[in-house]
Amino acid sequence: MTAKQEWAANWQLPLLAMLGIAGAATFGYSSGVFMEQMTREFGWSRAQFSAAFTVQMVLGLIVMPFLGRLVDRIGPRRIGLAGICIYTLAFSALGLANGTIWQWWLLGAVQAFGVAFITNPVWLSSVIPRFHASRGLALAVSLAGIGVATLIWPNIAAFGIQHLGWRMTFPAMAILWGAIMLPFAWFCLIDPPAIEVPTGATEAKAPKSDYLRALRSRTAICLALAGGIFASVTYGIILNLVPMLQAQGMTLTAAAGLTSTMGIFVIGGRIATGYLLDRLPTRPLSIAVFVLPVIVCLVLWLFPGNSIAIMVAVALLGLATGSETDVVVYMIAQRFGRDIFATVLAVIMSVFALLAATGPLLAGSIFDQYDSYEPYLMIGIPLALLATLCIALVPDRPVAGVDAGITV
């Protein structure tokens, strides 16, 4: 099939994936808006508040590999439909916080369970097998959900807090997303096509990719470390960007509005990267993407309070966030078989989650100790360079002993 034929037949799948991924990112991209209100009301430190995100990421490390294996076995449709309902309830429950920090962390754990059912492996397992000529662009549209999340959730959260209070804003955001997603997924979410069995072989004897070998490969390890360290640096900035700007004199609405503009650059960076992945060598493009957080940290560190510098940093942060997952998922699809795609993606994303959880916690702890985010930005520079080195070390060839790549 040509790229045009692929989109004519399957256009609804990347759009559904985009909305699903946007929902999974609700807490990550709106928690900074809630942070000031809740820490002031309950007397929590910012590190204590951010630890709920850490709990979510650590539990994701445990749950997501099992979920990815389940997606490979039974398909994404049943998991996705159930996940929409589970996540809507779990996110709504965050409004029940009563000021006890352990209860807040427990609510974060409940939300983590819901997030696992609507993360990337669920949606992309339906998208990727149906796109080959235009896989990079299909991935870009799907993963643009992060940009959508960045664009809408801070503004919706700020509006809700001002008109409903922070407690009611949690269920309002969850129900809004669930009401859109459930009917869309019911009619459009489909399982991937069956893997063809060689002539003369039974389905039980069809060749299977070795997912344990895949997970031990240099490719998987480098991708996991590169993406995880990258996420640690960027999530630490993103989740603290609103309070960071408030500390420089901005109002909540202005800070949330400026942060939400990052979503435009996330979407633009994602679409541009997806387009280029279909046309350029992966390695130089991936290195260019992974070095962007170095520039972001330098600009925010060297030019604090400078409005032009802040806008440049927000734009580059959006481009970086929008491009990184495109590159990693595209490499996984190139180098691993379809029958283990969701498993490999889920495990690598679990490492992302674990390392990403350290960023907001570290940023919050540094602010609590130094009353400044500058030390975190200084630490972020060598970490981002390490992530760039890891992505540069990913081998060009598919993993030996594993069926190479996903084809239509």
Side-chain angles (χ1 to χ4, degrees):
M1 297 177 70
T2 65
K4 184 179 293 186
Q5 290 171 329
E6 289 175 347
W7 280 99
N10 304 297
W11 63 269
Q12 74 279 7
L13 295 176
L15 180 60
L16 177 65
M18 179 183 70
L19 296 177
I21 291 169
T26 305
F27 184 72
Y29 288 90
S30 67
S31 60
V33 183
F34 291 94
M35 184 185 293
E36 182 70 23
Q37 295 274 337
M38 295 180 68
T39 54
R40 185 174 64 249
E41 179 173 335
F42 294 136
W44 296 339
S45 69
R46 296 187 182 186
Q48 286 177 314
F49 176 90
S50 299
F53 182 77
T54 304
V55 169
Q56 177 183 317
M57 296 293 100
V58 172
L59 285 180
L61 176 68
I62 300 171
V63 176
M64 284 183 58
F66 293 101
L67 187 73
R69 198 71 190 133
L70 192 61
V71 170
D72 281 331
R73 290 180 177 274
I74 71 173
R77 177 175 170 80
R78 283 175 284 181
I79 294 173
L81 290 173
I84 293 168
C85 301
I86 293 170
Y87 181 71
T88 299
L89 294 173
F91 191 82
S92 298
L94 292 174
L96 299 175
N98 61 11
T100 305
I101 194 62
W102 290 101
Q103 187 242 17
W104 172 241
W105 294 343
L106 178 61
L107 291 173
V110 171
Q111 201 232 352
F113 182 77
V115 168
F117 283 82
I118 59 167
T119 45
N120 295 12
V122 175
W123 312 112
L124 297 183
S125 291
S126 183
V127 172
I128 286 183
R130 292 176 169 82
F131 288 88
H132 182 69
S134 188
R135 179 175 295 159
L137 187 57
L139 274 176
V141 173
S142 301
L143 295 169
I146 297 296
V148 173
T150 310
L151 187 62
I152 66 172
W153 293 132
N155 286 320
I156 292 176
F159 180 86
I161 289 172
Q162 290 175 344
H163 293 84
L164 302 175
W166 65 264
R167 287 190 184 279
M168 292 304 299
T169 299
F170 283 117
M173 293 170 68
I175 292 170
L176 173 64
W177 177 80
I180 295 171
M181 278 297 295
L182 191 58
F184 193 8
W186 179 267
F187 290 107
C188 296
L189 183 59
I190 52 179
D191 291 328
I195 298 175
E196 295 184 4
V197 179
T199 304
T202 64
E203 185 175 354
K205 295 181 179 179
K208 300 291 184 183
S209 298
D210 185 349
Y211 73 91
L212 292 177
R213 182 193 294 270
L215 295 174
R216 293 193 302 266
S217 67
R218 175 177 148 189
T219 297
I221 292 171
C222 286
L223 286 173
L225 289 176
I229 297 170
F230 181 103
S232 176
V233 175
T234 55
Y235 266 71
I237 298 172
I238 290 169
L239 267 69
N240 287 274
L241 190 55
V242 170
M244 188 184 300
L245 297 180
Q246 284 183 280
Q248 297 176 3
M250 284 190 179
T251 64
L252 173 64
T253 303
L258 181 57
T259 301
S260 70
T261 62
M262 184 171 63
I264 299 172
F265 295 96
V266 172
I267 295 171
R270 207 171 283 290
I271 299 299
T273 301
Y275 179 84
L276 293 175
L277 282 169
D278 289 328
R279 291 161 175 81
L280 297 179
T282 308
R283 186 186 301 280
L285 182 59
S286 65
I287 292 173
V289 166
F290 272 69
V291 81
L292 287 176
V294 177
I295 305 173
V296 172
C297 290
L298 281 171
V299 170
L300 290 175
W301 174 33
L302 296 176
F303 304 99
N306 185 300
S307 58
I308 296 177
I310 290 173
M311 287 189 286
V312 170
V314 167
L316 292 178
L317 185 60
L319 291 174
T321 306
S323 304
E324 174 246 3
T325 311
D326 274 16
V327 169
V328 173
V329 176
Y330 190 87
M331 286 183 168
I332 294 172
Q334 274 187 326
R335 290 161 172 78
F336 300 103
R338 187 181 23 153
D339 56 324
I340 62 168
F341 169 76
T343 302
V344 174
L345 178 60
V347 171
I348 289 178
M349 285 190 62
S350 295
V351 178
F352 282 21
L354 178 63
L355 295 179
T358 64
L361 187 61
L362 179 61
S365 299
I366 287 175
F367 182 87
D368 292 335
Q369 184 173 358
Y370 297 100
D371 198 31
S372 172
Y373 287 106
E374 287 189 9
Y376 179 76
L377 297 173
M378 295 169 64
I379 294 171
I381 294 170
L383 288 177
L385 289 172
L386 179 59
T388 305
L389 175 62
C390 289
I391 201 70
L393 292 175
V394 175
D396 289 325
R397 60 188 182 282
V399 180
V402 176
D403 294 342
I406 296 178
T407 57
V408 177

